[in-house]
């Protein structure tokens, strides 16, 4: 994951420099905001001089998915108030993808926290390095903004491999995304997550109520 975070952070730092924002913004944003996809969106909002209300609403809509992550993120295994506070702050898509898998069910608090801390450092360090060398990368280079989408694609493929015998779950995720894209294209992410969560809950209730066969 670190090998993915460092070049992704560099891509973010280069985009910050090319957007005309101060190079220091990349490191500061990565350390304090640590919003991943929202940070890519934040570049355009800051460069365009968007009002704070628009930035706040955008942050809420983009990061609303973390509410759904909290349903199954193993925060109960993280010990200490400080540890739980940082683990909540450092919860990102990649940390959730790694800790929600089958192999991570036995991970102790220390391993979860170190995992999140290393990912935080990888992201902030890569973003700072990208901002410092951003002036050396020509403006005609394209595709840097696709780095985040590519990483999410790899995480999705790993999640499918981890649940090879559970084909209905990725199928439900795909149907939820398609339904959200057709019905609410401007709010695709929160609607898709809501539909997916509702589908999982309905499947869970149906399975639990189904009488077992002797």
């Amino acid at each position: 994951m670190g090998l993915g975070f460092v070049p992704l952070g560099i891509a973010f730092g280069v985009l910050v420099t090319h957007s005309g924002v101060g190079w220091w913004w990349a490191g500061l944003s990565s350390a304090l905001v640590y919003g991943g996809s929202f940070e890519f969106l934040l570049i355009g909002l800051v460069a365009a001089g968007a009002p704070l209300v628009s930035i706040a609403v955008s942050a809420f809509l983009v990061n609303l998915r973390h509410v759904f992550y909290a349903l199954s993120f193993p925060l109960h295994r993280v010990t200490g108030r400080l540890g739980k506070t940082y683990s909540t702050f450092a919860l990102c898509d990649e940390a959730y993808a790694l800790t929600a898998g089958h192999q991570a069910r036995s991970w102790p608090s220390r391993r979860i926290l170190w995992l999140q801390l290393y990912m935080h450092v990888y992201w902030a360090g890569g973003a700072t390095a990208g901002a410092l060398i951003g002036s050396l990368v020509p403006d005609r280079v394209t595709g840097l903004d696709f780095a985040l989408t590519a990483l999410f694609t790899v995480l999705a493929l790993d999640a499918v491999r981890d649940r090879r015998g559970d084909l209905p779950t990725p199928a439900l995720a795909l149907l939820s995304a398609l339904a959200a894209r057709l019905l609410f294209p401007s709010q695709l992410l929160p609607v898709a997550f809501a539909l997916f969560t509702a589908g999982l809950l309905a499947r869970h209730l149906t399975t639990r109520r189904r009488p077992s066969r002797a």
Side-chain angles (χ1 to χ4, degrees), residues 52-190:
L52 292 178
V53 175
S54 299
I55 295 177
V57 172
S58 299
F60 173 76
L61 293 176
V62 173
N63 293 321
L64 184 63
R65 65 189 187 277
H66 290 86
V67 175
F68 300 93
Y69 290 167
L71 297 175
S72 54
F73 182 75
L75 186 63
H76 60 281
R77 296 209 306 265
V78 178
T79 58
R81 182 176 300 178
L82 182 61
K84 290 182 181 295
T85 300
Y86 176 75
S87 184
T88 302
F89 164 75
L91 176 59
C92 61
D93 305 273
E94 295 77 12
Y96 174 79
L98 292 177
T99 56
H102 178 73
Q103 296 180 350
R105 294 179 181 177
S106 60
W107 287 2
S109 171
R110 184 180 180 88
R111 183 166 184 176
I112 296 175
L113 287 174
W114 276 111
L115 168 75
Q116 292 184 276
L117 178 61
Y118 273 119
M119 293 173 68
H120 195 177
V121 172
Y122 286 145
W123 173 252
T128 303
L132 292 175
I133 66 173
S135 59
L136 303 178
V137 180
D139 294 337
R140 63 178 179 273
V141 174
T142 59
L144 293 176
D145 52 348
F146 187 73
L148 188 63
T149 304
L151 181 57
F152 285 168
T153 302
V154 173
L155 290 174
L157 292 176
D158 287 341
V160 172
R161 292 193 187 101
D162 191 49
R163 307 177 64 90
R164 291 181 179 178
D166 185 16
L167 293 178
T169 298
L172 178 61
L174 180 60
L175 290 176
S176 300
L178 292 176
R181 179 68 178 85
L182 293 175
L183 299 177
F184 303 95
S186 61
Q187 304 295 336
L188 188 151
L189 191 62

Side-chain angles (χ1 to χ4, degrees), residues 8 18 42 79 108 128 156 179 198:
L8 182 62
H18 287 183
L42 186 61
T79 58
T128 303

